[in-house]
């Protein structure tokens, strides 16, 4: 999405790295795919703060789309909390190691990331219908 949104800056990728496994791997945190997507939506709707009305609308649009993403994710997967989604406590280093080595993260987390990215594209197409036929 960072390329799609014209955010060609590796710093933005690094900004989301602590969101893996929920924020800082904390068991009761929101899934990192959702958190990262919310950040992406904020960047997608960014505009100059010079025009207050435009900036306020951009904030409202970003929050509305983030809400739609969260609702859709929860409907699809039954929850948005990392531990509830993956069934393990990633704050325990040994559990985290086993989770990665076992490949469970590929089974589970890849599906969450894929869903979030597809939802971002869907939201973008709704926002810009003319670009969806490209």
């Amino acid at each position: 999405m960072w390329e799609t949104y014209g955010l060609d800056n590796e710093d933005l990728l690094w900004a989301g790295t602590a969101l893996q496994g929920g924020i800082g791997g904390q068991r009761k945190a929101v899934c990192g795919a959702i958190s990262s997507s919310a950040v992406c939506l904020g960047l997608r709707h960014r505009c100059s703060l010079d025009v207050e009305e435009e900036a306020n609308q951009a904030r409202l649009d970003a929050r509305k789309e983030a809400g739609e993403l969260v609702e859709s994710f929860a409907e699809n997967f039954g929850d948005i909390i990392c531990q509830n989604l993956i069934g393990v406590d990633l704050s325990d280093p040994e559990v985290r190691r086993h989770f990665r080595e076992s490949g469970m993260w590929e089974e589970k987390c890849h599906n969450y990331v894929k869903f979030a990215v597809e939802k971002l594209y869907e939201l973008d197409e709704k926002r810009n219908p003319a670009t969806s036929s490209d």
Side-chain angles (χ1 to χ4, degrees), residues 29-133:
V30 172
C31 172
I34 296 172
S35 299
S36 297
S37 295
V39 170
C40 190
L41 287 168
L43 291 168
R44 175 65 177 107
H45 286 280
R46 72 193 184 284
C47 66
S48 171
L49 297 175
D50 294 339
V51 182
E52 187 175 346
E53 187 175 314
E54 185 179 322
N56 286 340
Q57 186 60 52
R59 287 184 192 99
L60 289 172
D61 291 344
R63 281 195 299 265
K64 178 180 181 257
E65 289 182 4
E68 187 176 328
L69 172 83
V70 169
E71 185 176 310
S72 182
F73 189 97
E75 286 175 7
N76 197 63
F77 297 110
D79 210 317
I80 63 168
I81 302 300
C82 180
Q83 183 176 354
N84 299 343
L85 291 164
I86 63 173
V88 297
D89 179 0
L90 294 178
S91 66
D92 179 324
E94 185 60 28
V95 171
R96 185 173 55 250
R97 184 188 63 73
H98 180 292
F99 182 74
R100 292 211 41 94
E101 289 176 359
S102 71
M104 285 191 296
W105 68 277
E106 288 181 357
E107 288 177 36
K108 295 180 180 253
C109 299
H110 279 192
N111 287 331
Y112 306 139
V113 170
K114 181 178 184 262
F115 179 89
V117 169
E118 288 172 352
K119 187 66 178 178
L120 287 172
Y121 277 115
E122 177 186 312
L123 291 167
D124 200 45
E125 288 175 6
K126 284 172 58 175
R127 186 172 185 255
N128 299 304
T131 62
S132 63
S133 61

